Amino acid sequence: MIVRHLSEIEDTDADIKTENWRSKRIVLAKDKLGFSVHETTLYAGTVNDFWYANHIEAVFITSGEGEVENKATGEVHQLKPGSIYVLNNADKHQVRPRTEMKTVCVFNPPVTGREVHDEDGVYPLIVEEDEAAAAN
């Protein structure tokens, strides 16, 4: 059993801060669960372009309001507490929080915590060393 509290994550290398958002990576690939879990706060008035070409992500909104746009179709969906969106087709998307939004995000495959968004908003696919060895 794994039990953690956000206070254990704050201001560690699993607490990633940018000018637009902050992501506390609670469960990571090293936990060997097949998924990762993050609490991400998106700041009001920001525009966030993401594209998870190597991951499926589910995003559950726990507080705040905003919208997500599917960049391929132009569809815009309103987000509020209780909303979920799932990026199951490597969807390029833009998130625009009107107020500070807190979310719980689940990634598959799991992230290691070392990923950084590239210029397209993509996380590279990084695997833990023991996962890479098992694949060979």
Side-chain angles (χ1 to χ4, degrees):
M1 179 182 294
I2 298 171
V3 178
R4 295 194 176 118
H5 190 273
L6 285 175
S7 63
E8 299 169 52
I9 308 299
E10 291 173 357
D11 298 319
T12 70
D13 60 355
D15 185 2
I16 310 303
K17 301 170 188 174
T18 76
E19 62 184 43
N20 285 12
W21 50 265
R22 179 180 186 178
S23 181
K24 298 174 190 173
R25 281 83 187 270
I26 305 162
V27 174
L28 291 166
K30 66 183 176 183
D31 295 310
K32 298 179 174 62
L33 298 172
F35 60 89
S36 58
V37 179
H38 315 173
E39 181 203 58
T40 300
T41 303
L42 296 118
Y43 303 130
T46 60
V47 175
N48 304 275
D49 289 299
F50 300 116
W51 175 31
Y52 297 112
N54 301 306
H55 300 83
I56 293 173
E57 182 192 26
V59 180
F60 182 75
I61 289 75
T62 59
S63 68
E65 295 185 356
E67 58 190 23
V68 61
E69 178 181 348
N70 181 325
K71 299 294 279 184
T73 66
E75 289 177 284
V76 176
H77 303 276
Q78 299 306 306
L79 303 173
K80 61 183 179 181
S83 299
I84 189 170
Y85 64 92
V86 180
L87 305 159
N88 58 325
N89 290 313
D91 306 294
K92 290 182 180 181
H93 61 290
Q94 186 175 85
V95 182
R96 300 182 292 260
R98 284 189 291 281
T99 65
E100 180 179 278
M101 279 185 8
K102 286 202 180 284
T103 66
V104 175
C105 307
V106 177
F107 281 85
N108 181 9
V111 302
T112 65
R114 298 185 306 274
E115 293 81 0
V116 176
H117 290 98
D118 69 13
E119 63 278 356
D120 293 318
V122 175
Y123 275 161
L125 183 59
I126 300 174
V127 296
E128 292 294 326
E129 287 181 26
D130 57 340
E131 289 179 53
N136 292 326

